[in-house]
């Protein structure tokens, strides 16, 4: 499998600590909280060589999702109002719902796919996904595609 130029969506808990520290160092530089790479790497506790090695290859999902379409898949209980609750979370984060497809529930569980347009006004997509996963009755949320 050739993944040299591919992209992956990975949950934060699966990312090695050094990569998370690179993202934090980049954030410190971008926000002006530090003036140099040396200061940023010293503050987060990584070497400058680690920073330079990974800086162009890791970024927070929401930073690069604006203006794109994300297709999500869910499995959720077939309960009155649950779909409405899920859609409200998406609306609260100011994402634009483009399509919704829900299967006929089997054994009380429905499969759902939603395509969402992430806009400049949309909140943190990672937080939105986390909020959706925490909804009672939602079994899982996965990102199928990002266009």
């Amino acid at each position: 499998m050739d993944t040299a130029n591919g992209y992956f969506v990975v949950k934060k808990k699966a990312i090695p600590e050094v990569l998370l520290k690179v993202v934090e160092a980049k954030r410190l530089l971008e926000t002006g909280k530090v003036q140099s790479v040396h200061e940023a790497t010293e503050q987060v506790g990584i070497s400058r060589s680690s920073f330079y090695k990974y800086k162009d290859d890791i970024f927070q999902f929401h930073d690069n999702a604006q203006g794109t379409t994300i297709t999500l898949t869910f499995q959720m209980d077939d309960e009155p109002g649950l779909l409405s609750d899920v859609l409200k979370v998406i609306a609260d984060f100011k994402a634009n719902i483009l399509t919704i497809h829900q299967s006929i529930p089997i054994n009380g569980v429905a499969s759902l796919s939603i395509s969402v347009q992430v806009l400049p006004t949309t909140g943190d997509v990672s937080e939105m996904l986390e909020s959706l996963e925490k909804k009672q009755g939602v079994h899982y949320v996965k990102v199928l595609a990002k266009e």
Side-chain angles (χ1 to χ4, degrees):
M1 175 168 85
D2 180 24
T3 58
N5 292 319
Y7 291 89
F8 297 91
V9 176
V10 181
K11 287 188 177 185
K12 183 177 180 179
K13 66 183 179 184
I15 305 287
E17 186 176 355
V18 67
L19 296 178
L20 295 174
K21 288 181 176 186
V22 169
V23 170
E24 178 61 15
K26 287 173 56 174
R27 188 189 65 75
L28 290 171
L29 287 162
E30 289 167 2
T31 59
K33 292 185 178 179
V34 295
Q35 300 302 313
S36 68
V37 170
H38 175 76
E39 284 180 74
T41 56
E42 195 170 87
Q43 191 166 329
V44 299
I46 59 172
S47 67
R48 286 184 307 185
S49 62
S50 292
F51 176 82
Y52 285 115
K53 181 176 181 179
Y54 298 116
K55 73 177 182 67
D56 294 328
D57 295 322
I58 186 158
F59 42 84
Q60 282 190 291
F61 182 65
H62 71 274
D63 288 344
N64 293 281
Q66 294 184 350
T68 63
T69 300
I70 300 171
T71 302
L72 308 171
T73 185
F74 299 72
Q75 275 204 337
M76 53 193 258
D77 293 337
D78 181 30
E79 296 177 2
L82 184 55
L83 176 58
S84 176
D85 291 346
V86 165
L87 298 178
K88 182 170 180 354
V89 169
I90 295 168
D92 287 347
F93 278 84
K94 296 181 176 33
N96 184 32
I97 298 169
L98 300 173
T99 64
I100 302 170
H101 180 266
Q102 183 175 336
S103 69
I104 295 174
I106 299 173
N107 297 325
V109 177
S111 294
L112 176 73
S113 67
I114 300 177
S115 292
V116 176
Q117 182 182 29
V118 180
L119 305 167
T121 56
T122 300
D124 186 319
V125 175
S126 298
E127 286 181 26
M128 180 179 77
L129 295 173
E130 203 171 294
S131 296
L132 291 167
E133 285 181 325
K134 288 180 181 177
K135 270 278 171 226
Q136 187 164 353
V138 174
H139 297 271
Y140 69 80
V141 178
K142 292 184 180 176
V143 177
L144 282 182
K146 178 184 159 199
E147 299 173 17

